[in-house]
Amino acid sequence: MKMKITKKWMGIVMCLVFAVSMMAGCGTSSGKAKGIALSTESEALEKVQETDTETKVSVDEQVLVEQDGITIKAMEYVTDSIWGDGIKLLIENDSKKDYTVGCDALIVNDYMIADLFATEIAAGKKANETMYLSSSELKAAGIDTVGKIEIYFHAYDADCNNVFQNVYSEIKTSEYDNMDTKADDTGVELYNKNGIRIVGKTVDENSFWGTAILLYCENTSGKNVGISVEDMAVNGFMMDPLFSTTVYDNKKAIDDITIFSSDLEENGIESIEEVELKFHIYDSDTYDTIADSEPITFSAQE
C-alpha cells in the first residue's frame, strides 16, 4: 500500500478527533514551533495562523464528470463550522454496478491538498455528498480565498477494478479573479534540482503525532512526482519518519515530515538540534527514480 493512502487515513483520524474535541467543548492547545535555521519564525507561522476570510465564495452548478454511467455535478460551495469549506456534489450512478467514487488528486489555487473523499453509490441510485477542502492545509498554504479547484476523479467496483481514473475537472469559483497563487517559500532551501525545489519552513515540537518539520515543495519538472525521505537522523540518532507527498507538474505542496514522539523518547531526545536526511524523488505514475539526493543536514533554532 502506498504511503499516501496511509497518510490519508491518518488524516481522517485526526479530523475525527478534532471534531469530537470541538463537540465536547475542548479548548485548543498551543504548540511551540521553532524556525529552521536562517528562517523567520513569524513569517513562517503567519500563514498558518491567519483567520478564515469572510469573503462569500460561490460556484455555478456544473457537470464535472459524465463517464461510464456515472455523472458528478458540482452543486454549490458550502461552509461547515467543523469541516470547513467544500463543494457539494450530486453523484448519479446510472450503470448496473455499484461503485465507489473518490479522487486521485485535489488541487486548490495550484496547491496539492489532501483529499478525504470517497463514497459508495449503488447501481441506479444517486447521492448528495460534500468534498471538503482541508482547512488546516489551506491555511498552511496561505490560501485565504479559494479561486480554483482541480479534481482528478476515479471510480472502482467492489473488486477494486477501476472503471475510470484521473478524470480531470476544474471549478472556477466566484473569487477566481481575486485568488493569490504567489508561493510563500520563505525558509531554508534544502534541495533544488531537476525542477524540484524543497524548502524547510518550521519545526513544530507539539504536532499531533510528535514533532513535524514543515516543507514547501514545488514541481516544474514536467512530470508528476512523489517525494519521500530516507536515512533520516535527528541529533545523530536514526529515525523512522512518516513522509510521502505527491506534487503534480507545475503545482506546489505544503507537507510535513512527522517524527514520532516514541522515536525521540527512546533516544533521549528532548530538543531537535540537527537533522540529516536524503530525499527520494520519483515519477508518481511509473515509480521510476528521478533523483536521490546526497545527505542534507540542517538545524533548528529558537
Side-chain angles (χ1 to χ4, degrees), residues 98-251:
D98 298 345
Y99 288 113
T100 296
V101 175
C103 64
D104 296 296
L106 173 61
I107 305 166
V108 178
N109 294 14
D110 292 336
Y111 274 90
M112 308 296 297
I113 300 294
D115 69 273
L116 305 176
F117 179 78
T119 186
E120 295 181 1
I121 307 295
K125 305 300 181 183
K126 61 181 69 175
N128 286 305
E129 300 288 347
T130 300
M131 178 180 290
Y132 286 104
L133 315 177
S134 170
S135 297
S136 61
E137 294 200 15
L138 294 181
K139 289 182 180 180
I143 299 175
D144 295 323
T145 304
V146 174
K148 180 175 66 173
I149 304 168
E150 298 170 89
I151 311 170
Y152 291 80
F153 284 100
H154 66 239
Y156 55 87
D157 61 22
D159 297 319
C160 293
N161 297 314
N162 288 308
V163 60
F164 57 75
Q165 282 183 285
N166 287 308
V167 175
Y168 178 80
S169 61
E170 177 181 303
I171 301 171
K172 293 182 179 179
T173 78
S174 56
E175 293 300 307
Y176 178 78
D177 292 333
N178 300 322
M179 69 175 180
D180 182 7
T181 58
K182 183 180 179 180
D184 177 13
D185 57 356
T186 55
V188 177
E189 186 173 270
L190 304 177
Y191 183 88
N192 192 352
K193 293 180 180 178
N194 306 302
I196 307 299
R197 183 167 179 257
I198 304 173
V199 175
K201 296 185 67 64
T202 63
V203 177
D204 181 2
E205 293 185 340
N206 291 287
S207 71
F208 190 88
W209 299 105
T211 295
I213 300 174
L214 191 68
L215 303 179
Y216 165 84
C217 305
E218 182 178 326
N219 176 15
T220 56
S221 69
K223 300 178 180 179
N224 297 337
V225 306
I227 304 172
S228 60
V229 166
E230 298 179 346
D231 299 339
M232 183 173 186
V234 172
N235 299 0
F237 290 92
M238 298 301 296
M239 297 286 120
D240 186 19
L242 177 65
F243 179 75
S244 179
T245 192
T246 300
V247 189
Y248 278 29
D249 184 37
N250 286 316
K251 304 301 178 184

Side-chain angles (χ1 to χ4, degrees), residues 266-281:
E266 288 173 2
N267 292 288
I269 299 174
E270 297 181 354
S271 178
I272 294 179
E273 298 172 0
E274 184 178 84
V275 177
E276 181 177 299
L277 53 75
K278 297 177 182 177
F279 289 115
H280 174 62
I281 302 166

